[in-house]
């Protein structure tokens, strides 16, 4: 099929009827030739949005220290898989590896595996890791199912928000799934799909919600977590996931598009804007509750980073710097940890098997 991604999606709808929101999101983000992650530089000041690792090296460094600490508490397994899901430009993994050099045995034991579907992003990640003399070359896989059968330490920042979601809306006292279709002027947008939603997909509180209320689920995110929990339960491991979202499940429409650092319409020119939604950390915690998983912890990003030593690291970095650099470092601390910026909106979820005392979660 030729034409823009919009033309192709319109043709699919003309032939088969409306798409589910999850299928639309998957096509717009991950279609191999014209999906967003295949075609756009996306992340960083020149892209569409800035992520925590792009704000400051301190973010990846503190996560590197978290990984070394978890590895020691897991009994220094060797070899083990050090993985990142959705590594973007590779900034986090590069900062993580640099900080982890405090324990050379860690990097010697680590088999670095990057979970990435986009060839363009893989190239950036290869370049970011290029300067490091790694004892074992990094590998790329496109799916969490392909993680090697060995102990696992996996981190991911803003990976889950990009996985597809489903939405339901309450209309005439019944819940219906939202899809993507064409109106009579041929404009792409949300439509209410016929049929009543399976009540098993909705929480008990759905019955009391007002008309127009929206509920979101993401089977893809929950499946990703269940895969990681199963892997850690069978082979041992620790997993750290950071994203924006809420610690309690709730109602509301959080589906959003961002282009050039500004909110955009998610249905105009699919493939040219980043599509995400807020992550339901309560649903993820439930998905992580595998038989073998003994500890599941969550915190805000601000609590986690401060507990990992963000302020001390900022002080150390700033100590021998110019006024200008010191100001940039304190601005970065503010953006990463302050409740007014990313500190509260972003949450951190960690789980491990066996039960170990994971760093970064003040009790
Ligand atoms: N972690 C990075 C990038 C976040 S953007 C940062 O913090 O800067 C999301 C990343 O996930 C991109 O690298 C994108 O290509 C990748 N990605 C999106 N969907 C994916 C999927 N289903 N499987 C693997 N990688 C995916």
């Amino acid at each position: 099929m030729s034409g823009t991604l919009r033309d192709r999606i319109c043709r699919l709808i003309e032939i088969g009827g409306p798409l589910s929101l999850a299928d639309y999101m998957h096509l717009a983000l991950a279609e191999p030739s014209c999906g967003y992650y295949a075609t756009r530089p996306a992340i960083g000041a020149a892209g569409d949005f800035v992520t925590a690792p792009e704000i400051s090296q301190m973010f990846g460094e503190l996560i590197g220290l978290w990984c070394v600490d978890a590895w020691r508490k897991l009994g220094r397994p060797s070899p083990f898989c050090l993985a990142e899901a959705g590594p973007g430009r590779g900034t986090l993994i590069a900062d993580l590896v640099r900080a982890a050099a405090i324990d050379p045995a860690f990097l010697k034991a680590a088999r670095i595996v990057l979970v990435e579907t986009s060839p363009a992003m893989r190239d950036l990640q290869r370049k970011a890791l290029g300067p490091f003399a790694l004892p074992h070359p990094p590998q790329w896989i496109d799916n969490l199912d392909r993680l090697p059968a060995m102990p696992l330490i996996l981190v991911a920042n803003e990976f889950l928000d990009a996985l597809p979601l489903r939405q339901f809306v309450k209309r005439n006292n019944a819940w219906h799934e939202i899809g993507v279709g064409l109106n009579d002027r041929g404009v792409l947008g949300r439509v209410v799909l016929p049929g009543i939603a399976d009540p098993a997909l909705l929480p008990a509180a759905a019955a009391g919600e007002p008309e127009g209320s929206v509920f979101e689920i993401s089977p893809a995110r929950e499946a990703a977590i269940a895969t990681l929990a199963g892997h850690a339960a069978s082979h041992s491991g620790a997993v750290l996931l950071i994203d924006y979202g809420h610690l309690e499940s709730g109602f509301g429409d959080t589906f959003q598009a961002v282009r050039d650092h500004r909110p955009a319409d998610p249905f105009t020119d699919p493939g040219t804007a980043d599509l995400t939604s807020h992550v339901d950390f309560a649903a993820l915690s439930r998905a992580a509750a595998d038989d073998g998983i003994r500890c599941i912890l969550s915190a805000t990003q601000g609590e986690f980073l401060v507990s990992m030593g963000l302020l001390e690291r900022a002080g150390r970095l700033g100590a021998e710097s110019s006024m200008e650099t010191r100001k940039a470092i304190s601005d970065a601390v503010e953006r990463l940890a302050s409740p007014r910026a990313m500190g509260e909106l972003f949450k951190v979820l960690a789980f491990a098997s066996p039960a170990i005392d994971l760093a970064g979660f003040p009790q």
Side-chain angles (χ1 to χ4, degrees):
M1 273 206 250
S2 60
T4 63
L5 189 53
R6 187 191 172 283
D7 295 339
R8 290 163 62 179
I9 288 174
C10 290
R11 248 174 282 151
L12 281 176
I13 294 171
E14 279 157 14
I15 296 166
L19 302 177
S20 73
L21 191 60
D23 286 344
Y24 174 78
M25 198 170 162
H26 180 72
L27 282 168
L29 289 178
E31 202 282 337
S33 59
C34 27
Y36 179 73
Y37 283 118
T39 55
R40 306 265 308 187
I43 310 157
D48 293 306
F49 57 99
V50 176
T51 55
E54 306 294 329
I55 290 174
S56 167
Q57 69 186 71
M58 295 184 287
F59 186 80
E61 289 171 350
L62 294 173
I63 290 176
L65 299 183
W66 185 92
C67 292
V68 173
D69 180 73
W71 176 71
R72 289 175 175 165
K73 289 170 177 163
L74 287 170
R76 302 173 172 263
S78 179
F80 78 100
C81 170
L82 174 62
E84 184 183 356
R89 303 176 60 84
T91 309
L92 192 162
I93 191 72
D95 292 334
L96 183 164
V97 163
R98 201 181 51 254
I102 58 155
D103 189 343
F106 173 89
L107 284 179
K108 234 184 242 159
R111 305 294 183 271
I112 296 180
V113 174
L114 301 174
V115 188
E116 175 61 68
T117 39
S118 154
M121 291 289 180
R122 285 186 181 197
D123 281 346
L124 292 173
Q125 294 152 19
R126 199 170 287 118
K127 281 197 191 101
L129 284 175
F132 297 95
L134 293 168
H136 310 281
Q139 284 173 24
W140 278 263
I141 57 175
D142 56 13
N143 197 309
L144 293 170
D145 295 336
R146 310 235 160 84
L147 286 167
M150 55 175 82
L152 173 70
I153 296 183
L154 179 137
V155 301
N157 183 61
E158 292 205 37
F159 166 68
L160 294 164
D161 65 60
L163 300 186
L165 91 155
R166 293 172 70 182
Q167 279 190 333
F168 302 91
V169 64
K170 193 166 186 182
R171 283 278 166 84
N172 303 320
N173 214 24
W175 287 85
H176 304 270
E177 182 150 7
I178 290 177
V180 179
L182 295 168
N183 69 14
D184 38 11
R185 284 171 291 119
V187 176
L188 209 53
R190 261 179 247 244
V191 294
V192 177
L193 298 179
I196 306 281
D198 177 357
L201 297 173
L202 301 165
E209 279 296 297
E211 283 290 300
S213 184
V214 171
F215 183 69
E216 300 178 337
I217 59 170
S218 175
R221 292 173 199 167
E222 290 168 30
I225 298 301
T227 300
L228 294 175
H231 192 101
S234 326
H235 303 283
S236 83
V239 172
L240 183 76
L241 305 158
I242 305 169
D243 224 307
Y244 42 92
H246 32 276
L247 292 176
E248 306 283 334
S249 301
F251 295 87
D253 172 11
T254 73
F255 184 48
Q256 60 189 29
V258 171
R259 189 188 293 114
D260 294 334
H261 304 273
R262 276 192 292 273
D265 177 71
F267 304 104
T268 306
D269 295 333
T272 65
D274 187 34
L275 303 183
T276 65
S277 76
H278 285 204
V279 171
D280 178 349
F281 280 85
L284 299 189
S285 293
R286 287 192 293 275
D290 186 280
D291 280 351
I293 296 297
R294 295 278 176 266
C295 60
I296 305 178
L297 296 162
S298 52
T300 65
Q301 174 168 302
E303 288 165 342
F304 174 78
L305 292 176
V306 168
S307 164
M308 285 303 301
L310 177 67
L311 304 180
E312 293 78 359
R313 182 71 188 125
R316 186 105 45 87
L317 271 181
E320 280 153 32
S321 318
S322 64
M323 279 297 280
E324 205 183 346
T325 309
R326 275 218 284 275
K327 167 89 173 74
I329 294 168
S330 91
D331 286 352
V333 168
E334 175 77 14
R335 280 181 79 182
L336 291 173
S338 150
R340 287 180 299 280
M342 300 167 81
E344 255 174 28
L345 173 62
F346 282 70
K347 311 292 191 298
V348 186
L349 174 75
F351 55 86
S353 175
I356 52 173
D357 176 23
L358 293 166
F361 295 87
Q363 295 303 307

